[in-house]
Amino acid sequence: DIQMTQSPSTLSASVGDRVTITCRASQSVSSWLAWYQQKPGKAPKLLIYDANSLEGGVPSRFSGSGSGTDFSLTISGLQPDDFATYYCQQYRIYPLTFGGGTKVEIK
Amino acid sequence: QVQLVQSGAEVKKPGASVKVSCKTSGYTFTNYYLHWVRQTSGQGLEWMGTIDPRGGVTKYAQEFQGRVTMTRDTSTSTVYMELSSLRSEDTALYFCATQTSPYCTDGVCFPDYWGQGTLVTVSS
């Protein structure tokens, strides 16, 4: 199985900050990587697919980059609605695997 | 619009089975794979498996092989996930999710529409 490792596990930031979350795969996943946002008790929401393609309706302050084994999600200008937990997911091969999550909390 | 509506919360005893349903609407049911993903308390997301609604072919995560069964009913556009031999560690929020991107040609893809989740509690 491909292991997905996110860092940091928790990130404290303020409204307006630029934040970056990283995700590392245990082997290459090419660009077959997605990012999700999840709020407590809710389903994950797709933000980014194919490492850097923005899902429709997602604000442009979200962006993704990377390929192979190293990826990042950047939020440029953190908004109050962005405080949540973020997960990466690889879809290179079965089983689909997710990172452990990064919680973005208010500083 | 695409909607996935799951059945309600369940409380089960260890050793029992649970069957969770996921009723879909707003799209052609047989066009898109359906996944099941679970989330234990305070933990991350764990993919359990997927089903192709066209022919009912399934792919399960190794961890759940022999304990999970995913089925579908094309007449009601509903998929089911049954998990047997329940233990306390199976207490979790279970999600169904579908993948509607035209880039997805099989189940190895990214789910983009999710159900609301079904809480399954396993307790004696």
Side-chain angles (χ1 to χ4, degrees):
Chain A
D1 298 2
I2 298 178
Q3 308 302 318
M4 308 300 293
T5 304
Q6 289 183 233
S7 62
S9 55
T10 305
L11 188 160
S12 297
S14 302
V15 172
D17 284 353
R18 175 186 171 95
V19 301
T20 297
I21 299 166
T22 63
C23 175
R24 174 164 289 176
S26 60
Q27 62 187 81
S28 176
V29 299
S30 186
S31 293
W32 306 124
L33 185 107
W35 288 97
Y36 296 86
Q37 177 194 70
Q38 188 183 31
K39 296 184 178 179
K42 300 294 186 181
K45 173 187 174 183
L46 178 68
L47 301 174
I48 302 278
Y49 62 93
D50 291 353
N52 59 16
S53 296
L54 196 66
E55 172 71 346
V58 174
S60 59
R61 63 180 179 273
F62 291 92
S63 63
S65 65
S67 66
T69 61
D70 293 302
F71 301 87
S72 63
L73 172 72
T74 298
I75 310 172
S76 301
L78 201 62
Q79 296 300 300
D81 191 49
D82 301 337
F83 292 98
T85 301
Y86 294 84
Y87 295 92
C88 59
Q89 178 233 322
Q90 68 81 20
Y91 49 100
R92 170 70 178 83
I93 55 171
Y94 284 130
L96 309 183
T97 48
F98 294 84
T102 296
K103 183 177 181 180
V104 177
E105 58 180 28
I106 301 173
K107 182 184 287 184
Chain B
Q1 71 281 21
V2 175
Q3 284 194 309
L4 285 70
V5 179
Q6 298 181 224
S7 50
E10 303 264 11
V11 178
K12 297 292 183 181
K13 293 193 182 302
S17 297
V18 68
K19 191 170 186 177
V20 180
S21 67
C22 172
K23 183 170 176 57
T24 71
S25 61
Y27 70 99
T28 302
F29 176 68
T30 51
N31 280 2
Y32 306 124
Y33 282 69
L34 229 297
H35 301 268
W36 288 91
V37 176
R38 78 176 187 180
Q39 185 167 40
T40 52
S41 177
Q43 300 302 307
L45 301 163
E46 182 177 28
W47 180 79
M48 299 179 69
T50 188
I51 181 168
D52 179 356
R54 284 171 297 182
V57 175
T58 56
K59 176 73 173 178
Y60 302 138
Q62 183 67 33
E63 178 183 351
F64 300 100
Q65 283 279 1
R67 281 209 305 145
V68 71
T69 304
M70 296 177 189
T71 56
R72 93 287 190 223
D73 182 344
T74 56
S75 68
T76 60
S77 301
T78 302
V79 294
Y80 300 89
M81 186 282 299
E82 184 170 22
L83 188 63
S84 62
S85 303
L86 290 170
R87 35 200 188 239
S88 58
E89 308 91 88
D90 294 318
T91 294
L93 189 58
Y94 290 77
F95 293 101
C96 62
T98 192
Q99 50 181 63
T100 66
S101 170
Y103 302 110
C104 298
T105 57
D106 58 22
V108 190
C109 208
F110 51 91
D112 52 0
Y113 286 91
W114 295 65
Q116 82 277 20
T118 296
L119 180 62
V120 175
T121 302
V122 183
S123 174
S124 55

